[in-house]
Amino acid sequence: MKIIILGAGQVGGTLAENLASEANDITVVDTDPDRLRDLGDRLDIRTVVGRGSFPTVLRQAGADDADMLVAVTNSDETNMVACQVAYTLFHTPTKIARVRESVYLTRSNLFSNEAIPVDVLISPEQVVTNYIKRLIEHPGSLQVIDFAGGKAQLVAVRAYYGGPLVGQELRQIRKHMPNVDTRVAAIFRRNQAILPKGDTVIEADDEVFFIAARAHIRAVMSEMRRLDDSYRRIVIAGGGHIGERLAEAIESRYQVKIIEMNPARCRYLSDTLDSTIILQGSASDRDLLVEENINDADVFLALTNDDEANIMSSLLAKRLGARKVMCIINNPAYVDLVQGGEIDIAISPQLATIGTLLTHVRRGDIVSAHSLRRGAAEAIEVIAHGDSRSSKVVGRAIGKITLPPGSTIGAVIRAEQVLIAHDDTVIESGDHVILFLADKKHIRDVERLFQAGLTFF
């Protein structure tokens, strides 16, 4: 696939890295030659210096025969104009734009071929807000992913000493929970992926990814670790776009406080939000945190744009007694350094956003794609089409399907039913199949597996 990416920032660079490793023809456009040089030295891609909204620059990048334009510069306006130019002059089939400002996103009739021709809108702030909201709703989880509109969920937890299943074989799950069907999709032990089998023994500190119907998630989590009490008191450091959206989404069910430095922003948040308490000051101010009883907080969330400030305020909050601390880390190199120590969860906005973008880049009828384990693994939801003659999966039992190395089918969603995958589960046309890939270099093999041909020989 020939793809033009506008913007060599963190999202554009991470996307280029993901796609270049999958035999795509990638061209990255940016006004910063140093950024492009750095990307070009690391990846097998073309680079073009210039403004992505200029027709001459797009032509130089190969827009005449490009399959897709992904506009992820820091300017909403540049992204929208670039999509308009690509549509009008080059008839680019698929146009994806990152749009941050909610004033654009709330106008439902703004984005169409008759107005601004954007096929897919990406709002990183909303993606990250939803990501954090799911973590708050599932205390103790490391990552929560919805499939089929939330009917099934893939959840990552860290197995703790004392968990009922720790030290036991996976096949014991059914004995422990005869009325709950679940499947462990993958286990990561000391950063190495283990493809789970019935005799695989769960060890303490394993990162366990399991899939189950939404209603069964808490029950399965209780087998891996002590269940955390539901959260009630949330403290957010940073009242920017993400902090505001998150507070707005959860303030009706939780006690929420926002700590924000900028007095004007504090006044705006105070006028906009209903029950959230707004505090003007620094989240790294020890006296302020003590005064606001940080030791009673169930979750402290550092959501500013400054990685160092997020890390330091999170460490301070943890030392002062906050039960869980999570922080946004924009620099991918920091994520593995800080997560799992005093900071419980480090959130990478670009990796959360990449999953949304990958959904539209993958071949075949892929409904959603999610980046896992800081981009090393992937979970996808794909629709099976065809019949037993034209498809390699339809009409076949899962145990008879030859999956690529490191891949496993976790569940099948059929209409309103969530069918946890077993060897004798037969896939039907129209099923939503949830797959886990421990090594995403095999994604093309999975795509080919689910592509129905005129006749399958």
Side-chain angles (χ1 to χ4, degrees):
M1 192 180 286
K2 188 170 183 180
I3 303 169
I4 300 172
I5 299 173
L6 307 183
Q10 286 168 335
V11 171
T14 306
L15 181 63
E17 197 167 341
N18 273 267
L19 297 180
S21 63
E22 297 173 12
N24 291 293
D25 181 358
I26 307 295
T27 302
V28 180
V29 179
D30 199 280
T31 54
D32 187 337
D34 293 332
R35 266 186 190 166
L36 291 175
R37 194 177 304 112
D38 177 55
L39 271 181
D41 288 345
R42 291 189 293 112
L43 307 173
D44 182 19
I45 60 172
R46 286 182 62 230
T47 60
V48 174
V49 180
R51 287 182 67 86
S53 56
F54 288 2
T56 50
V57 173
L58 285 175
R59 177 165 277 120
Q60 188 183 348
D64 286 310
D65 58 349
D67 299 300
M68 180 179 293
L69 176 80
V70 184
V72 287
T73 74
N74 287 326
S75 165
D76 289 352
E77 292 74 19
T78 297
N79 296 339
M80 291 188 287
V81 170
C83 288
Q84 181 73 69
V85 172
Y87 172 78
T88 305
L89 297 185
F90 304 108
H91 311 293
T92 306
T94 305
K95 301 158 293 296
I96 300 174
R98 175 167 75 170
V99 178
R100 285 175 154 160
E101 289 296 339
S102 56
V103 290
Y104 292 129
L105 298 171
T106 52
R107 307 289 178 182
S108 58
N109 57 348
L110 185 60
F111 298 99
S112 66
N113 286 348
E114 292 72 38
I116 300 173
V118 177
D119 300 303
V120 181
L121 281 168
I122 302 292
S123 171
E125 285 79 6
Q126 194 57 51
V127 171
V128 175
T129 299
N130 294 339
Y131 186 102
I132 298 170
K133 183 168 167 280
R134 287 194 295 268
L135 291 174
I136 292 172
E137 290 169 347
H138 294 84
S141 59
L142 298 173
Q143 191 166 0
V144 182
I145 294 167
D146 283 344
F147 291 107
K151 294 185 185 76
Q153 291 183 316
L154 180 72
V155 179
V157 295
R158 192 172 301 285
Y160 271 34
Y161 288 102
L165 266 181
V166 174
Q168 298 195 45
E169 294 181 346
L170 283 179
R171 60 168 61 98
Q172 298 297 321
I173 289 182
R174 184 155 290 185
K175 293 180 182 175
H176 281 244
M177 297 182 297
N179 299 320
V180 173
D181 207 2
T182 185
R183 185 180 179 99
V184 173
I187 296 172
F188 284 86
R189 182 173 298 159
R190 293 179 285 279
N191 291 322
Q192 294 296 315
I194 297 171
L195 204 59
K197 297 176 182 173
D199 59 356
T200 301
V201 175
I202 296 176
E203 296 182 6
D205 285 333
D206 281 355
E207 199 170 316
V208 182
F209 286 82
F210 70 87
I211 192 162
R214 189 188 192 101
H216 295 156
I217 293 298
R218 290 275 291 172
V220 182
M221 285 180 69
S222 69
E223 291 295 304
M224 309 292 175
R225 50 173 294 128
R226 298 182 303 275
L227 264 186
D228 288 8
D229 293 334
S230 295
Y231 300 141
R232 285 184 298 155
R233 291 174 288 273
I234 314 290
V235 177
I236 299 171
H241 290 306
I242 295 173
E244 178 192 352
R245 289 185 188 194
L246 181 63
E248 190 175 29
I250 67 174
E251 64 178 352
S252 62
R253 289 180 294 151
Y254 302 90
Q255 299 170 26
V256 183
K257 295 179 181 178
I258 293 180
I259 302 173
E260 168 59 43
M261 280 286 288
N262 187 312
R265 184 69 181 170
C266 285
R267 285 191 292 274
Y268 165 79
L269 292 169
S270 185
D271 292 340
T272 306
L273 298 170
D274 293 330
S275 58
T276 300
I277 296 170
I278 312 300
L279 305 167
Q280 199 262 310
S282 168
S284 298
D285 182 339
R286 187 181 187 280
D287 293 337
L288 175 62
L289 293 179
V290 170
E291 188 179 322
E292 293 302 325
N293 301 313
I294 194 67
N295 58 308
D296 287 335
D298 294 309
V299 185
F300 177 87
L301 292 153
L303 308 180
T304 76
N305 290 323
D306 186 323
D307 285 357
E308 287 76 12
N310 287 344
I311 292 169
M312 295 311 293
S313 62
S314 296
L315 292 173
L316 179 60
K318 190 74 167 186
R319 293 281 172 91
L320 293 174
R323 188 169 135 206
K324 289 277 180 184
V325 296
M326 308 179 197
C327 70
I328 280 181
I329 303 288
N330 287 292
N331 185 340
Y334 287 178
V335 176
D336 285 328
L337 289 175
V338 301
Q339 177 162 302
E342 297 214 6
I343 293 174
D344 297 292
I345 298 178
I347 299 154
S348 168
Q350 59 266 39
L351 283 179
T353 307
I354 288 305
T356 312
L357 290 166
L358 290 176
T359 301
H360 305 285
V361 175
R362 300 284 181 234
R363 296 179 177 89
D365 195 354
I366 291 181
V367 180
S368 63
H370 302 271
S371 190
L372 308 172
R373 292 284 306 171
R374 274 75 81 193
E378 198 164 303
I380 62 171
E381 175 183 347
V382 58
I383 300 176
H385 292 292
D387 54 30
S388 57
R389 288 179 303 151
S390 62
S391 168
K392 300 175 188 176
V393 296
V394 173
R396 288 170 172 76
I398 287 173
K400 301 289 186 184
I401 297 171
T402 305
L403 292 169
S407 307
T408 181
I409 294 176
V412 175
I413 290 102
R414 184 174 298 156
E416 297 300 311
Q417 273 187 298
V418 177
L419 308 173
I420 299 304
H422 299 291
D423 283 349
D424 58 354
T425 305
V426 176
I427 294 177
E428 297 179 3
S429 184
D431 283 351
H432 288 235
V433 182
I434 315 302
L435 292 103
F436 185 99
L437 287 81
D439 186 345
K440 70 182 187 66
K441 73 181 180 185
H442 295 295
I443 185 67
R444 284 286 174 262
D445 299 325
V446 171
E447 289 172 350
R448 282 192 288 270
L449 185 65
F450 278 83
Q451 283 174 340
L454 291 175
T455 307
F456 166 58
F457 293 99

